[in-house]
């Protein structure tokens, strides 16, 4: 066999001195073969390092691949990394392998990825939907029994299972916490685009907390950012207002890092901060960061468990599972508002 070439079924057959069909029968356990032949084939497979093409076999026999396709917006976001890890841990026990790709929140790229996964005849499809994506093209696959689960955000154009966080309630709790510490001017820095489901839900929670406290909704206190640089600029913009906020609510973990960075740069230790999403090393900051923590591990576990139940024949109506958030008090959100703000 030539160097640097992947061994083939024919190579295994030549090593043993049998036909390629005999090797295929042994590996696929779909026909008679003597114990001695089976042992020789398996020994040759180990010696040559042969890897069966499971995808080709599954397409040939009409069965699903032993893989789960997962589409997420950002491979670098720790939140989605934790979700993916939990999914992988759950499906591994069923002999399934996780395949993952990033859509970069682009609906066309998302569609291309899902099409590639579907071409593999995956066993399960999981998607964090991009803004503007239409998932009606998955109806045929869903009707044929493919489990499809949307994570973090509901899909559009397809009735299927969703697993989301309690975004609205969590944001409400974080903002109410700031209000309880005397803050009346609270800035909101949300994600982009503004039509993003999680951004809309968290802004709704922010507005509800203000309304319950009898505080007006001031559009000048609401801005957006999609990365740390944008969050730093948004923080600077809010703090430069004629009547600036005394507290900031970060719409996600990336925004929170930008806010913290800008407050440190400008040596502003008088601004309270609560973030939606926990941040790595949040406890090591000074003061430590108060957060509304999601549970990405439970989101991944719930999504995988739901999909596996569908794979096992659950044909009940599509449902949305909402995973609770929790407020973790660490110090940054407990800075009191200046006395003048308490009138």
């Amino acid at each position: 066999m030539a160097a640097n070439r992947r061994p083939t079924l024919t190579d295994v057959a030549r090593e043993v001195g049998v036909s390629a069909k005999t090797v295929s029968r042994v590996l696929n356990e779909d026909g008679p073969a003597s114990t001695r032949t089976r042992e020789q084939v398996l020994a040759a497979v180990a010696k040559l390092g042969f890897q069966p093409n499971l995808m080709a076999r599954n397409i040939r026999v009409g069965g699903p691949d032993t893989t789960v396709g997962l589409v997420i917006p950002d491979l670098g976001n720790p939140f989605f990394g934790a979700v993916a890890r939990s999914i992988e841990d759950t499906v591994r026990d069923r002999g399934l392998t996780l395949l993952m790709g990033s859509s970069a929140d682009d609906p066309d790229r998302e569609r291309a990825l899902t099409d590639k996964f579907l071409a593999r005849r995956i066993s399960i499809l999981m998607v964090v939907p991009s803004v503007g994506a239409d998932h009606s093209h998955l109806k045929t696959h869903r009707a044929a029994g493919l489990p499809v689960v949307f994570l973090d955000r509901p899909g559009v154009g397809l009735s299927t299972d969703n697993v989301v966080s309690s975004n609205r309630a969590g944001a409400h709790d974080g903002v109410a916490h700031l209000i309880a510490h005397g803050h009346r001017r609270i800035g909101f820095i949300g994600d982009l685009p503004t039509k993003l489901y999680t951004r809309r839900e968290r802004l709704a929670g922010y507005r509800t907390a203000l309304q319950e406290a009898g505080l007006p909704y001031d559009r000048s206190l609401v801005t957006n950012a999609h990365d740390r640089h944008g969050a730093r600029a948004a923080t600077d913009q809010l703090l430069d207002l004629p009547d600036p906020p005394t507290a900031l609510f970060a719409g996600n973990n990336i925004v929170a890092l930008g806010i913290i960075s800008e407050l440190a740069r400008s040596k502003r230790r008088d601004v309270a901060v609560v973030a939606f999403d926990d941040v790595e090393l949040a406890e090591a900051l000074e003061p430590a960061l108060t957060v509304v923590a999601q549970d990405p591990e439970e989101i991944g576990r719930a999504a995988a468990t739901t999909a596996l139940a569908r794979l096992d024949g659950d044909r009940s109506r599509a449902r949305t599972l909402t995973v609770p958030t929790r407020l973790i008090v660490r110090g940054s959100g407990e800075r009191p508002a200046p006395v003048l703000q308490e009138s």
Side-chain angles (χ1 to χ4, degrees), residues 177-178 181 248 256-257 259-260 263 268-269 271-292 327-336:
H177 183 73
L178 290 168
H181 283 80
L248 297 174
L257 292 173
I259 290 174
I260 293 165
L263 292 178
R268 293 293 300 270
R269 300 182 59 84
V271 180
V273 179
V274 171
F276 199 106
D277 277 345
D278 210 348
V279 174
E280 189 175 359
L281 299 179
E283 293 181 341
L285 299 171
E286 180 57 45
L289 185 64
T290 293
V291 301
V292 176
L327 181 69
I328 302 178
V329 175
R330 294 191 179 121
S332 67
E334 294 67 64
R335 288 174 165 171

Side-chain angles (χ1 to χ4, degrees), residues 184-186 206-207 210-211 213-219 221:
R184 299 297 179 263
R185 299 277 293 169
I186 302 171
Y206 165 86
R207 296 190 66 164
L210 294 178
Q211 184 179 24
L215 298 175
Y217 173 67
D218 186 342
R219 289 181 181 274
L221 294 178

Side-chain angles (χ1 to χ4, degrees), residues 9-14 18-27:
L9 197 74
T10 301
D11 294 327
V12 176
R14 186 180 298 113
V18 297
S19 68
K21 186 174 182 179
T22 297
V23 174
S24 178
R25 280 203 304 266
V26 170
L27 296 179

Side-chain angles (χ1 to χ4, degrees), residues 89 105 141 150 168 176 308 311 327:
D89 289 344
D105 259 327
H141 301 279
F150 292 125
R168 189 175 301 211
L308 290 172
L311 196 63
L327 181 69

